[in-house]
Amino acid sequence: MHQGKLFLIVGPSGVGKGTLVNALRAKHPEFYFPPSATTRHPREGEAAGKQYLFFSEAEFEKLEKENGFLETALIHQKEKYGTLRKPILEAIAAGKIVIREVDIQGLISIQKCLEKALFSAIFISPPDKETLRKRILQRQPEMDAEELNRRLQSADKEISQKNLADFEVISEDNEIAAMVAQVEGIIDGISK
Ligand code: 5GP
C-alpha cells in the first residue's frame, strides 16, 4: 500500500476554500477530512465529530503538553482550536489522502513540526482583489467598510506569503468544478 498524504488548503478568508473543501468532500468520500479540536461549546444542532471535536480546557491543555497537535490557535483571545496530530498521521499511514483547511499561521506551524514528505500545501488565490471584495460582500452584505478593509488587509498579508505553499490554484468566479479538477490533478500527480 502506498503512503497517503496531507493536503493543506490555504488562502485568504472569502476566497472559496470552504466551498472547495465541501466539493471535495462530496466527490471523494475516500478522502479523510479531520475535524478540529476546540474548547468552545457546541452550537445548537452541531454534532460532535463532524466539523469539531469538543474538549474541556483541561483536556485540551493535556493534549498540548503531550504534543498532540500539529498546530493550535487562540481565537478571539478566548477559545482554543487545534489540528490533532494522531488521527492525521494514522490516516496517512493507512494510505489515505487527508484534506485540511488552515490559515497561513497554521501552515507555518505545520511546516515546523511535520516531515515535508507527508504534506503539500495548496494556496487558493482570488483572481484579483476586486473579486475577493465582491465575494466577501456577497457572503456578508451587511459588513461595514472598516471590517471589510480589515479583511482585505489580512488577505493582502496572506497573499504576500503564498510562496510558502507548494502549489497555487486561482479561484475563478463560477468555476468550482475547474478548481476541484486542478486540486485533484495536484493530488493525483504527487500522491502516486
Ligand atoms: P468557529 O468557532 O466559528 O467555528 O470558528 C472560529 C475560527 O476558528 C474560524 O476562523 C476557524 O477557521 C478557526 N478554526 C477552526 N478550527 C481550527 C483549527 O483546527 N486550527 C486553527 N488554527 N483554527 C481553527
Side-chain angles (χ1 to χ4, degrees), residues 2-33:
H2 68 84
Q3 185 179 272
K5 193 158 189 160
L6 167 63
F7 289 88
L8 297 168
I9 308 294
V10 201
S13 153
V15 79
K17 300 186 299 284
T19 309
L20 168 70
V21 171
N22 285 338
L24 287 168
R25 195 195 292 268
K27 206 172 161 189
H28 292 282
E30 75 280 17
F31 292 173
Y32 175 52
F33 299 85

Side-chain angles (χ1 to χ4, degrees), residues 136-164:
I136 294 173
L137 281 178
Q138 238 163 35
R139 265 210 287 182
Q140 282 171 272
E142 309 298 312
M143 188 179 287
D144 62 53
E146 211 176 302
E147 174 64 19
L148 179 62
N149 277 333
R150 248 199 313 273
R151 295 273 185 113
L152 289 173
Q153 268 172 23
S154 56
D156 275 345
K157 205 171 147 210
E158 291 226 349
I159 291 167
S160 75
Q161 292 174 289
K162 72 180 179 189
N163 60 337
L164 292 174

Side-chain angles (χ1 to χ4, degrees), residues 35-38 40 43 46 51-52 71-76 79 81-84 100-103 105-106:
S36 292
T38 182
R40 84 150 162 78
R43 296 184 185 126
E46 200 176 40
Q51 202 179 345
Y52 286 111
E71 61 88 37
T72 58
L74 185 66
I75 308 252
H76 306 314
E79 304 292 354
Y81 293 78
T83 304
L84 288 165
R100 175 79 183 163
E101 183 186 329
V102 285
D103 61 9
Q105 278 318 312

